[in-house]
Amino acid sequence: MYATYEVNSRLSDLKIHAIIDKLNPNLRSIENFEGRMRVREFYAMSPEDAYAILAAIAEINGCEDKLKLLPPSEYDGKKWSLSALATMLTQSKWGVAGPRYFKYNGEWLNDIRRRLGV
């Protein structure tokens, strides 16, 4: 997690998404899933750019104290590749493919990689 922005009311984050969508609708991650269009909460922008937008919104609203930039953290205080961490956690004698062992928003990273053609 890069940062958090505490909102005052339920679903206020949807208004922030609407602002970003108005600024550049091409940034939103939209996918076709089982024949239906699914609009995701993800944007094709760097964490720094997303934080800058949230910082401007927080400043306009006088809510700078609600925006928190989090310090980077790593497993056991060390930087790991996905494969190295998965190998260590599974105690495998051989290297393993890290994306097969981790999920992002409930979806296996390996499946995301395959779907995106990466």
Side-chain angles (χ1 to χ4, degrees), residues 42-86:
F42 308 113
Y43 290 91
M45 68 173 66
S46 71
E48 295 83 7
D49 287 345
Y51 185 84
I53 291 170
L54 293 176
I57 292 169
E59 184 177 349
I60 289 167
N61 291 303
C63 298
E64 295 94 337
D65 61 320
K66 306 249 183 202
L67 180 62
K68 308 279 189 234
L69 183 61
L70 303 174
S73 61
E74 306 290 341
Y75 183 81
D76 201 22
K78 302 174 191 174
K79 289 186 178 183
W80 295 81
S81 70
L82 289 177
S83 295
L85 182 57

Side-chain angles (χ1 to χ4, degrees), residues 3 9 21 40 97-98 104 107:
S9 63
D21 289 339
R40 306 296 304 263
Y104 182 75
E107 185 177 4

Side-chain angles (χ1 to χ4, degrees), residues 22-113:
K22 289 286 185 190
L23 292 172
N24 187 343
N26 297 321
L27 293 176
R28 181 70 83 131
S29 174
I30 300 173
E31 65 185 8
N32 190 329
F33 182 73
E34 295 181 356
R36 295 183 3 210
M37 293 300 283
R38 186 161 71 173
V39 178
R40 306 296 304 263
E41 293 185 359
F42 308 113
Y43 290 91
M45 68 173 66
S46 71
E48 295 83 7
D49 287 345
Y51 185 84
I53 291 170
L54 293 176
I57 292 169
E59 184 177 349
I60 289 167
N61 291 303
C63 298
E64 295 94 337
D65 61 320
K66 306 249 183 202
L67 180 62
K68 308 279 189 234
L69 183 61
L70 303 174
S73 61
E74 306 290 341
Y75 183 81
D76 201 22
K78 302 174 191 174
K79 289 186 178 183
W80 295 81
S81 70
L82 289 177
S83 295
L85 182 57
T87 300
M88 188 276 298
L89 291 173
T90 61
Q91 299 178 348
S92 174
K93 293 179 184 178
W94 299 277
V96 299
R100 292 182 179 167
Y101 292 85
F102 295 96
K103 290 183 177 183
Y104 182 75
N105 283 342
E107 185 177 4
W108 293 106
L109 293 179
N110 205 43
D111 293 340
I112 294 170
R113 174 189 281 173

